[in-house]
Amino acid sequence: MGNNTHDQYRTALDRAHAHAQQWLDTVAERPVRPELDADGVLARLDRALPEQGTDAAAVVDELAEAAEPGLMAIGSPRFYGFVMGGTYPAALAADWLVSAWDQNTGSRQPTPATAAVEEVAGDWLVDLLGLRAGSGVGFATGATMANLSCLVVARDAVIRAHGADPAAGLQQAPPVRFLAGDAVHTSVVLAGRLSGLGVPITVGADDQGRIDVAGLERALDAGEGPAVVALQAGDVHSGCFDDFAAAVEVARRAGAWVHVDGAFGLWAAASPRLEHLVRGLADADSWATDAHKTLNVPYDCGVAIVRDEAAMTASLGAHAAYLPAVASIADPYDHVPELSRRARGVPVWAALRSLGRRGVVDLVDGLADAAAALAAGFAEIPGLEVLNDVVFTQVCLATADDATTAALGEWLRAEGTAWASSSTWQGRTVVRFAVSNHGTDAEAVRRTVDAVRRGALALGIGAPAG
Ligand SMILES: *Cc1c(COP(=O)(O)O)cnc(C)c1O
C-alpha cells in the first residue's frame, strides 16, 4: 500500500471524525425530526454516476453535507419512535475499530481476536439475562434475523424429535404447528414464513397483548405432532410480557419448543426490580433480542440465543473443505445464517464492559422509570389518556377521538422537541412513546411532557366544548 493510500485513510478518517463529533455534539438539541425528506436529500445528491473518482476526504465531506439535513436525531434523548436505541460512547468507538480492523468474523481460526471478544460478549449476555450458561449465542443483524435463526433451530429440533430428518426438507417431515399470541410481532410472522413454519396460528391475547394461555393449551390439545410456540417479552405497544411460567408449562406438556421474541423486553431480565415480569423466561428453549435497542449499541446488532447449543450448530452451521474448524468448538458462523459478517458482537462487549452489571441494571431501570414518568406527566394533561398499563418502556397516548390523536402525533413530530410514532392499538389511534435511549432522563421527560402539553393546547384538546 503506497503512502498516498495511507494519507487518504488519515485525511478521510479525520474528516469523518470531525463530522461525527459535530453530529454528536448537536444531536440532543437539534429538532428531532429530519429537516428534509428522502426526495429532499435526493435533490442534494448528484444522481448521475460520476465518470471520475474523487479524493476520499472530499467524498466524506460531500456525503456528510448532503445527508445532514435528512438525518433523524435517533440519538436524541427525546426520540421515542418505533423502538430504537441510541449509542454509548464505548460501543460507538468499538464499532469504528470493527470497521477499521475489517475482520470477517465467521471462524475462530482466521479471526481469533474478534471471535474471542464475541464469545465473552455472548457469555456476559447469557449471564445478565439469567439464561443457562453454555447456551449458543449468535450475533445477527437484528431481532428479525435472530427470530429466524431461532425458529429454524426450533423447526429442525421438533422434526428430529418426531423421528424425521429435517435436512431431507419440509416435504418429507411431519407438519409443524406454529402458535403465538394475537399480539405477535410482525417480525415473528415474517420469520415464520421464511422458516417454512408459516404464519403462526394465533391463540388469543388479553387486553394488554399477553398470550391467552388457556387458548394456547386448547390449540395444542386440538392437534398433534411437532409444535413451536412463540412467546413475547415486551409488546411494542403495551410493553407487556407473556406469562412465561404458565405458557412454558402448557407447551412442555405438548412437547413443543418455546421461543421468546424479546427484542427489547428480554432486558427486563437483567433488572432485579423487573424480574417479576420475566418469571419462567429462562425455561424457554430459545430467545431473540436486540443490542441496538435497549443496550444502545450502534446499528446493527441482534442476538439469537439457544439453550441447546448443539441444536443451534446442527441447524445453522456450515461445512466446507476450505472452512477451518475445530470439531469440538462452535465457530461464529455456526450460530447465525451468515458465513461472512462484521464483528457486530464487539460493540456489545464494549457497551457491557463500560457499563458493568450495575450499569446495565441502571440502564434498564432508568428506561422504565422514564416511561412511568412520561405516563404520569401525560395523565395530568386535560383531554389526554394513557391507554396501556405502563409496566416497562412503552406508553400509548390517546385523546377522546382518533382524528385528534393523529393530529397530536403530527403536531409533535413537526414541532421537533420530541418524536413519537403514530399507531393503532386495541382499535384506537395512539401516539406511542418507546423509551430506548440511555440519555432519556428527568429533564428529557419534562421537556417531552411540556411539548405534548403545548400540542394539546394548540389543538384545543381538553378545552370545554363550545
Ligand atoms: C424491533 C422488534 C423486532 C424486530 O427487530 P429488528 O431488530 O428490527 O429486526 C421484533 N420484535 C419486537 C418485539 C421488536 O420490538
Side-chain angles (χ1 to χ4, degrees):
M1 172 187 322
N3 269 335
N4 187 37
T5 310
H6 265 300
D7 289 347
Q8 290 229 11
Y9 280 125
R10 186 173 307 284
T11 53
L13 286 173
D14 282 348
R15 294 308 300 145
H17 185 208
H19 289 297
Q21 201 59 60
Q22 166 76 12
W23 170 255
L24 294 167
D25 286 344
T26 56
V27 71
E29 288 309 323
R30 63 189 272 138
V32 181
R33 57 157 164 74
E35 238 172 84
L36 295 181
D37 62 10
D39 287 332
V41 177
L42 279 168
R44 294 165 65 92
L45 293 166
D46 209 341
R47 301 294 292 279
L49 174 64
E51 272 320 309
Q52 300 297 333
T54 302
D55 165 71
V59 170
V60 173
D61 283 338
E62 184 180 322
L63 171 65
E65 275 147 34
E68 203 265 354
L71 294 175
M72 173 77 90
I74 294 175
S76 166
R78 296 175 312 283
F79 178 83
Y80 307 98
F82 314 97
V83 184
M84 294 182 180
T87 184
Y88 275 117
L92 171 58
D95 199 58
W96 285 6
L97 277 182
V98 165
S99 289
W101 290 340
D102 201 20
Q103 303 287 290
N104 183 348
T105 305
S107 168
R108 285 175 115 237
Q109 206 191 67
T111 56
T114 50
V117 173
E118 285 198 344
E119 281 181 30
V120 173
D123 288 349
W124 284 353
L125 284 174
V126 167
D127 178 359
L128 271 169
L129 300 172
L131 306 178
R132 202 187 70 170
S135 295
V137 179
F139 291 100
T141 48
T144 303
M145 288 306 291
N147 278 322
L148 173 63
S149 303
C150 291
L151 288 181
V152 165
V153 178
R155 177 199 71 195
D156 288 359
V158 296
I159 287 174
R160 218 179 289 114
H162 280 75
D165 175 15
L170 293 183
Q171 292 82 351
Q172 313 300 321
V176 179
R177 295 169 297 152
F178 181 34
L179 305 103
D182 287 10
V184 60
H185 191 273
T186 181
S187 132
V188 173
V189 176
L190 178 61
R193 289 168 50 203
L194 292 173
S195 64
L197 291 173
V199 172
I201 302 159
T202 48
V203 301
D206 69 10
D207 65 337
Q208 296 299 307
R210 285 178 291 249
I211 193 169
D212 176 354
V213 177
L216 174 65
E217 186 167 29
R218 278 194 301 276
L220 284 167
D221 286 348
E224 54 179 6
V228 174
V229 174
L231 302 178
Q232 181 163 259
D235 176 84
V236 285
H237 287 102
S238 71
C240 76
F241 293 70
D242 286 342
D243 181 345
F244 301 111
V248 168
E249 195 191 318
V250 161
R252 284 281 172 265
R253 281 206 295 270
W257 179 287
V258 180
H259 170 69
V260 180
D261 173 19
F264 63 96
L266 207 65
W267 294 89
S271 160
R273 218 183 73 191
L274 297 170
E275 225 168 29
H276 63 281
L277 296 171
V278 296
R279 226 170 284 127
L281 175 84
D283 295 327
D285 298 292
S286 60
W287 305 264
T289 192
D290 271 322
H292 55 220
K293 291 179 177 173
T294 309
L295 188 60
N296 281 243
V297 308
Y299 278 85
D300 48 32
C301 186
V303 190
I305 307 174
V306 177
R307 167 193 298 276
D308 180 355
E309 193 275 328
M312 195 175 205
T313 299
S315 290
L316 300 172
H319 309 281
Y322 71 93
L323 294 174
V326 178
S328 56
I329 307 173
D331 281 298
Y333 64 60
D334 290 323
H335 291 172
V336 286
E338 296 129 308
L339 283 180
S340 296
R341 64 173 179 85
R342 72 189 276 99
R344 59 171 63 90
V346 170
V348 171
W349 179 90
L352 295 177
R353 178 69 188 87
S354 74
L355 289 168
R357 189 188 302 274
R358 192 64 248 163
V360 176
V361 174
D362 290 345
L363 163 67
V364 175
D365 286 351
L367 299 177
D369 287 344
L374 279 177
F378 295 152
E380 304 269 295
I381 302 172
L384 297 188
E385 187 189 353
V386 172
L387 295 189
N388 62 310
D389 297 341
V390 180
V391 296
F392 194 46
T393 54
Q394 312 298 99
V395 181
C396 283
L397 185 62
T399 71
D401 74 279
D402 287 351
T404 308
T405 305
L408 179 63
E410 284 186 20
W411 185 96
L412 185 71
R413 291 188 292 272
E415 194 261 353
T417 299
W419 206 102
S421 302
S422 284
S423 186
T424 323
W425 187 61
Q426 307 291 35
R428 292 181 62 182
T429 297
V430 295
V431 185
R432 191 191 63 178
F433 294 77
V435 183
S436 319
N437 190 298
H438 65 93
T440 305
D441 56 7
E443 170 69 5
V445 166
R446 189 189 59 71
R447 288 173 63 181
T448 303
V449 172
D450 279 353
V452 170
R453 184 181 290 112
R454 287 196 303 279
L457 265 178
L459 297 171
I461 295 167

